[in-house]
């Protein structure tokens, strides 16, 4: 079975509190995008399922998040069997775009169909939480408010049609380290989450774009932060309605209501960066449920 594993961006990312279990309670407006890995999921040739990809450094066995998700599905449902997963990697890794979580979620959707288990989207998302905090959102896709660790999801009206330019600068950020630098009581600037939700309900793209913010931007190292800021400035200069960092970074994205302006941003950023993409909002994976 072949399927797309769509990446996500954070229209907002807020951290509410540090929990006893080491995780943080979050409040995030998540949006899937059409930038996606292409997966082929087949019954395993050997005794144990493998993950193969066109990136040599990704793990191939049970350390690959796609195989972690497959194991979680078998354990929870008792169906599915071992699967081989072939990944054509298009989404940059360690980028704040949930590329690995998207692969894990796609494997869960594939196993749900291949095994005939027919689990509900919510049950599938619940199983996904065992593989990582962003997996439940990637199972459902579309537009959603994510709370708790990221697993408590409320579907939201879709982002109005727009173009999205994503640029990943060539450094990676450790998510646990970045969380470690956050002092929740000292966060001075937060996104207007309620305002973004209201703008989505009103179908107001500009209203969404101008309220976006990610609290991780405040705790980036100054040199990294300067680079994030300059990409945001370039996107705005090209006509983006708003720009923000996604997840724990370092990817930065801009929302555009003009194809020409988005193409201009793509061309300009490609002068300086290798990983620059033009895409659009992704659909919910189970539209009937929204
Ligand atoms: O769930 P996941 O494996 O993606 O999380 C990676 C790390 O990010 C966790 O070990 C934790 O340090 C941090 N994290 C957190 N709060 C969250 C999600 C992740 O502190 N809500």
């Amino acid at each position: 079975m072949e399927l797309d594993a769509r990446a996500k961006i954070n229209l907002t990312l807020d951290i509410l509190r540090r929990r006893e279990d080491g995780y943080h309670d979050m409040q995030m407006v998540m949006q899937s995008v059409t930038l996606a890995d292409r997966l082929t999921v087949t019954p395993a040739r050997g005794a144990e399922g493998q993950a193969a990809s066109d990136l040599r450094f990704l793990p191939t066995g049970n350390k690959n998040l796609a195989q972690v998700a497959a194991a979680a599905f078998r354990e929870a449902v008792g169906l599915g069997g071992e699967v081989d997963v072939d990944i054509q990697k298009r989404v940059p890794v360690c980028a704040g775009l949930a590329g690995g979580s998207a692969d894990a979620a796609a494997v869960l959707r594939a196993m749900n169909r291949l095994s005939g288990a027919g689990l509900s989207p919510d049950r599938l998302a619940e199983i996904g939480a065992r593989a990582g905090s962003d997996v439940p959102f990637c199972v459902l896709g579309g537009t959603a408010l994510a709370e708790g660790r990221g697993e408590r999801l409320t579907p939201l009206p879709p982002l109005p049609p727009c173009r999205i330019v994503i640029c990943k600068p060539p450094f990676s950020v450790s998510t646990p380290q970045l969380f470690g630098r956050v002092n929740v009581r000292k966060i001075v600037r937060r996104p207007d989450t309620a305002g973004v939700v209201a703008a989505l309900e009103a179908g107001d793209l500009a209203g969404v774009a101008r309220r976006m913010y990610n609290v991780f931007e405040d705790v980036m190292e100054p040199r990294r932060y300067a680079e994030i800021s300059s990409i945001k400035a370039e996107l705005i200069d090209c006509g983006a309605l708003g720009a923000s960092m996604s997840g724990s970074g370092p990817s930065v994205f801009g929302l555009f209501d003009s194809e020409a302006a988005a193409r201009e941003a793509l061309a300009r950023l490609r002068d300086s960066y290798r990983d620059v993409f033009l895409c659009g909002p992704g659909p919910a994976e189970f539209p009937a449920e929204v």
Side-chain angles (χ1 to χ4, degrees):
M1 179 173 177
E2 279 193 43
L3 67 173
D4 285 327
R6 276 179 272 271
K8 63 87 186 159
I9 53 174
N10 287 86
L11 300 177
T12 67
L13 188 152
D14 201 1
I15 305 174
L16 303 185
R17 65 188 71 82
R18 197 178 129 75
R19 309 185 342 182
E20 293 296 317
D21 62 5
Y23 282 88
H24 292 76
D25 276 330
M26 313 293 291
Q27 197 171 47
M28 311 181 274
V29 178
M30 318 266 269
Q31 172 65 54
S32 54
V33 293
T34 52
L35 173 65
D37 293 341
R38 186 77 184 156
L39 262 66
T40 309
V41 182
T42 47
R45 280 165 295 230
E48 275 189 17
Q50 295 293 313
S53 80
D54 44 9
L55 282 188
R56 280 174 189 280
F57 56 84
L58 285 190
T60 53
N62 59 12
K63 291 261 166 17
N64 188 295
L65 213 53
Q67 288 298 350
V68 174
F73 184 92
R74 285 192 297 273
E75 208 177 287
V77 188
L79 286 173
E82 295 278 337
V83 289
D84 286 338
V85 183
D86 184 71
I87 306 170
Q88 282 173 267
K89 209 70 199 150
R90 299 290 173 263
V91 180
V93 300
C94 297
L97 299 172
S101 302
D103 296 345
V107 166
L108 291 174
R109 288 196 302 272
M111 290 181 78
N112 196 33
R113 282 212 239 147
L114 291 172
S115 70
L119 301 183
S120 71
D122 286 348
R123 175 77 182 115
L124 208 55
E126 197 181 308
I127 296 171
R130 301 180 191 193
S133 302
D134 283 340
V135 181
F137 170 75
C138 292
V139 168
L140 304 184
T143 313
L145 178 68
E147 295 173 290
R149 256 174 67 200
E151 84 289 12
R152 269 180 29 224
L153 296 165
T154 311
L156 293 171
L159 186 66
C162 62
R163 304 304 282 155
I164 303 170
V165 174
I166 300 176
C167 173
K168 182 201 157 297
F171 57 87
S172 59
V173 179
S174 152
T175 304
Q177 266 179 31
L178 204 59
F179 269 112
R181 286 221 287 274
V182 173
N183 181 337
V184 176
R185 267 159 291 160
K186 288 203 176 141
I187 296 175
V188 275
R189 191 173 165 208
R190 293 181 181 275
D192 177 5
T193 309
V196 167
V197 171
L200 285 167
E201 279 161 357
D204 173 10
L205 179 65
V208 171
R210 75 168 167 268
R211 291 182 176 88
M212 301 188 301
Y213 188 64
N214 178 337
V215 299
F216 276 134
E217 288 184 35
D218 278 354
V219 294
M220 300 284 288
E221 283 171 50
R223 193 164 47 91
R224 307 295 204 202
Y225 180 68
E227 190 154 6
I228 302 292
S229 291
S230 96
I231 298 169
K232 283 169 72 168
E234 183 97 49
L235 288 161
I236 298 290
D237 194 47
C238 291
L241 301 173
S244 189
M245 190 172 84
S246 184
S248 54
S251 298
V252 179
F253 67 91
L255 302 187
F256 293 82
D257 59 0
S258 149
E259 174 80 28
R263 290 206 172 271
E264 161 82 15
L266 183 76
R268 273 218 242 162
L269 286 165
R270 279 196 172 155
D271 284 342
S272 313
Y273 296 100
R274 202 192 54 178
D275 291 327
V276 192
F277 308 91
L278 175 57
C279 58
E285 302 293 344
F286 301 91
E289 297 288 317
V290 177

